[in-house]
């Protein structure tokens, strides 16, 4: 058997798992303030949820999906992102029927068959929100603000984040713009990489994402969507910016920001950080997808959302020197002089635990000395020492691990005395 986790995956050991839980708690509190409710969708979907929604020509669908046939011959795909599933679920359960608004958030693993590198995994963890049913620009500004405030609340300094903003237009203005970018790529094909030239035919806007220096230089001369937006999209974009300005959320307009999925319309955004991440410096991003529900056969239903990546956010937090709070694993350690009092020790630990006190004891028959060492390792502030003499007199010894002071406490008073000593 191969005892290593598959390439591109990682075990979340306790320190990292604690960080993930901390990030989820911060998300739950913050998102609730903006009216978002939790949703859990399956980790796999019928493949066409992603091919229809994200788009056949995108990197995700064309190269990165974990797709397989189940035993009944259905094509199933492990979800590569959250939005498509949430919109599919909102349609299935009529969450936006009769113009209702649905504000949902999710957290969980996503799967993409990518080339692993720092901050790029095959199984990675995302937290995201989706605001369905609203086309107003305040919804855009709200979603962007939630993402910004989330990173700030975690402790990433505002000065080290860059919020990129763009509008991708809609079905009125984007097709002509796509054609003009495709024509530009064909005209300059000698200077571009093979993949960008191929993109002219399938997904020309993705050429803006090419990391090769030569392609970046050429694409800097390409026509900009900013100049091609129809009046309605231009007005919507201007309004989003007005609301962001009003809230003091700093953004940088980047008309080459196109993001990799077909479903985006109008507002798109991304937050990048400078330190700790190298080329995978986008910690979160999202946009508007006003046509996605229609793609699935539902009624026209505007929506937008964001997703942020756990692994990259954790790297950004480390780079910013942020410590994730780690509670001590035990407040009290109940130590025994010898095994003759094991049953009493076990019962005392349970009484303390039932009273809400984090309590540990030794299960391995260690000496008193090593029990004290273990108590230290766990960060216990008090050690209750129990021996045959103590039991005979109905007492135990309570040691304060900081001041090293000890006193005798009646066993019957254990919970009250330990609780009082910990305040
Ligand atoms: P996307 O769904 O591609 O817009 O990505 C949203 C966020 O998810 C990114 O900003 C990253 O933080 C994270 N992310 C995307 N792909 C990966 C990956 N392969 N490995 C780790 N994090 C990722």
């Amino acid at each position: 058997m191969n005892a290593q986790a598959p390439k591109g995956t990682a075990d979340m050991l306790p320190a990292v798992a604690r960080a993930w839980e901390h990030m989820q708690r911060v998300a739950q509190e913050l998102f609730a303030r903006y009216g978002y409710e939790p949703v859990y969708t399956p980790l796999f979907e019928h493949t066409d949820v992603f091919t229809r929604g994200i788009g056949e020509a995108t990197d995700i669908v064309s190269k990165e999906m974990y797709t397989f046939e189940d035993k009944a011959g259905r094509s199933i795909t492990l979800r590569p992102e959250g939005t498509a599933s949430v919109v599919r679920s909102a349609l299935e359960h009529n969450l936006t029927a009769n113009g209702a608004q649905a504000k949902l958030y999710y957290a969980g693993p996503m799967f993409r068959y990518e080339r692993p590198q720092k901050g790029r995994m095959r199984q990675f963890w995302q937290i995201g929100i989706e605001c369905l049913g609203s086309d107003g620009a305040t919804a855009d500004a709200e979603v962007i603000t939630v993402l910004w405030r989330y990173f700030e609340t975690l402790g990433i300094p505002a000065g080290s984040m860059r919020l990129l903003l763009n509008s991708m237009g809609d079905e009125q203005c984007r097709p002509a713009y796509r054609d003009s970018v495709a024509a530009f790529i064909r005209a300059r094909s000698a200077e571009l990489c093979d993949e960008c030239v191929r993109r002219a035919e399938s997904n020309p806007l993705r050429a803006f994402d090419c990391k090769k220096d030569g392609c970046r230089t050429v694409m800097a001369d390409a026509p900009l969507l900013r100049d091609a937006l129809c009046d309605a999209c231009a007005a919507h974009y201007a309004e989003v910016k007005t609301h962001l300005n009003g809230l003091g959320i700093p953004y940088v307009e980047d008309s080459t920001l196109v993001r990799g999925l077909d479903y985006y319309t109008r507002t798109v955004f991304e937050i990048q950080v400078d330190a700790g991440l190298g080329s995978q410096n986008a910690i979160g991003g999202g946009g508007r997808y006003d046509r996605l529900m229609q793609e699935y056969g539902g009624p026209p239903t505007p929506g937008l959302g964001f997703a942020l990546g756990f692994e990259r956010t954790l790297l950004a937090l480390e780079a910013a020197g942020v410590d994730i709070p780690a509670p001590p694993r035990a407040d009290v350690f109940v130590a025994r002089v010898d095994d003759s009092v094991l049953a009493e020790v076990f019962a005392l630990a349970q009484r303390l635990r039932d009273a809400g006190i984090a309590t540990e004891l030794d299960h391995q028959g260690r000496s008193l000395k090593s029990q004290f060492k273990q108590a230290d390792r766990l960060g216990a502030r008090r050690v209750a020492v129990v021996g045959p003499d103590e039991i005979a007199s109905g007492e135990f010894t309570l040691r304060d691990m900081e001041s090293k002071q000890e006193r005798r406490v009646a066993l019957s008073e254990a919970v009250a005395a330990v609780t009082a000593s910990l305040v």
Side-chain angles (χ1 to χ4, degrees), residues 232-361:
C233 286
H236 189 270
Y237 184 45
E239 217 188 310
V240 173
K241 288 187 285 182
T242 303
H243 291 306
L244 288 174
N245 292 338
L247 298 186
I249 303 294
Y251 57 85
V252 181
E253 288 183 74
D254 178 353
S255 40
T256 66
L257 178 71
V258 292
R259 302 191 43 81
L261 306 115
D262 276 2
Y263 58 55
Y264 286 121
T265 48
R266 295 194 165 174
T267 313
V268 287
F269 53 92
E270 193 162 283
I271 293 184
Q272 302 182 342
V273 286
D274 296 324
L277 279 150
S279 64
Q280 305 301 315
N281 63 350
I283 52 177
R288 189 168 264 294
Y289 43 78
D290 290 344
R291 294 185 55 79
L292 185 52
M293 202 176 274
Q294 270 168 290
E295 271 312 314
Y296 294 153
T301 308
L304 83 158
F306 68 65
L308 62 96
F310 166 68
E311 290 80 4
R312 289 187 206 173
T313 303
L314 189 59
L315 290 169
L317 287 171
E318 280 166 9
V322 175
D323 278 332
I324 306 288
R329 288 181 47 207
D331 288 321
V332 181
F333 191 96
V334 185
R336 60 186 180 277
V337 174
D338 61 46
D339 277 350
S340 69
V341 293
L342 178 58
E344 287 85 352
V345 161
F346 195 43
L348 174 59
Q350 186 58 36
R351 276 168 62 207
L352 296 171
R353 287 166 167 170
D354 284 341
I357 301 169
T359 306
E360 254 299 22
L361 75 159

Side-chain angles (χ1 to χ4, degrees), residues 112 114 119-121 124 126 259 282-284 307-309 312:
R112 294 183 196 170
E114 296 201 77
R120 193 161 73 192
M121 311 281 294
F124 55 98
Q126 280 188 341
R259 302 191 43 81
I283 52 177
L308 62 96
R312 289 187 206 173

Side-chain angles (χ1 to χ4, degrees), residues 54-371:
I54 299 171
E56 300 271 3
T58 58
D59 282 357
I60 291 184
V61 171
S62 63
K63 302 186 218 165
E64 297 170 0
M65 295 207 304
Y66 282 92
T67 297
F68 55 93
E69 267 192 13
D70 71 6
K71 288 189 185 344
R74 304 177 192 95
S75 181
I76 294 291
T77 294
L78 299 186
R79 65 180 185 190
E81 55 104 58
T83 302
S85 305
V86 172
V87 172
R88 190 273 307 143
S89 170
L91 175 61
E92 180 176 342
H93 303 288
N94 291 319
L95 302 187
T96 50
N98 305 317
Q101 187 182 253
K103 296 175 93 173
L104 302 164
Y105 72 84
Y106 59 85
M110 306 293 160
F111 308 87
R112 294 183 196 170
Y113 195 80
E114 296 201 77
R115 201 160 39 77
Q117 63 181 77
K118 188 176 184 185
R120 193 161 73 192
M121 311 281 294
R122 289 182 173 170
Q123 176 179 319
F124 55 98
W125 299 72
Q126 280 188 341
I127 296 178
I129 70 176
E130 311 295 348
C131 175
L132 303 175
S134 318
D135 59 8
T138 44
D140 304 55
E142 180 180 284
V143 166
I144 293 170
T145 302
V146 175
L147 184 61
W148 182 266
R149 282 282 189 271
Y150 178 70
F151 290 132
E152 275 189 329
T153 309
L154 283 178
I156 301 179
S160 70
M161 293 191 280
R162 202 170 34 253
L163 166 61
L164 304 181
L165 185 69
N166 192 22
S167 173
M168 306 227 357
D170 63 6
E171 69 279 10
Q172 299 299 319
C173 48
R174 194 157 72 211
Y177 174 69
R178 270 176 67 113
D179 291 347
S180 71
V181 174
F184 173 86
I185 293 174
R186 277 182 219 113
R188 304 282 295 265
S189 59
E191 301 157 78
L192 291 163
C193 74
D194 290 349
E195 185 155 15
C196 283
V197 174
R198 260 198 313 278
R199 281 175 176 143
E201 310 314 320
S202 57
N203 198 353
L205 303 194
R206 288 288 287 160
F208 285 113
D209 282 345
C210 186
K211 300 270 187 280
K212 298 193 183 75
D213 285 342
C215 296
R216 289 168 79 115
T217 313
V218 173
M219 290 309 290
D221 296 335
L224 292 177
L225 186 48
R226 187 173 52 204
D227 304 324
L229 292 178
C230 62
D231 290 349
C233 286
H236 189 270
Y237 184 45
E239 217 188 310
V240 173
K241 288 187 285 182
T242 303
H243 291 306
L244 288 174
N245 292 338
L247 298 186
I249 303 294
Y251 57 85
V252 181
E253 288 183 74
D254 178 353
S255 40
T256 66
L257 178 71
V258 292
R259 302 191 43 81
L261 306 115
D262 276 2
Y263 58 55
Y264 286 121
T265 48
R266 295 194 165 174
T267 313
V268 287
F269 53 92
E270 193 162 283
I271 293 184
Q272 302 182 342
V273 286
D274 296 324
L277 279 150
S279 64
Q280 305 301 315
N281 63 350
I283 52 177
R288 189 168 264 294
Y289 43 78
D290 290 344
R291 294 185 55 79
L292 185 52
M293 202 176 274
Q294 270 168 290
E295 271 312 314
Y296 294 153
T301 308
L304 83 158
F306 68 65
L308 62 96
F310 166 68
E311 290 80 4
R312 289 187 206 173
T313 303
L314 189 59
L315 290 169
L317 287 171
E318 280 166 9
V322 175
D323 278 332
I324 306 288
R329 288 181 47 207
D331 288 321
V332 181
F333 191 96
V334 185
R336 60 186 180 277
V337 174
D338 61 46
D339 277 350
S340 69
V341 293
L342 178 58
E344 287 85 352
V345 161
F346 195 43
L348 174 59
Q350 186 58 36
R351 276 168 62 207
L352 296 171
R353 287 166 167 170
D354 284 341
I357 301 169
T359 306
E360 254 299 22
L361 75 159
D362 164 59
H363 290 300
Q364 297 171 304
R366 295 187 193 185
S367 70
L368 190 58
K369 194 168 158 209
S370 32
Q371 291 179 63

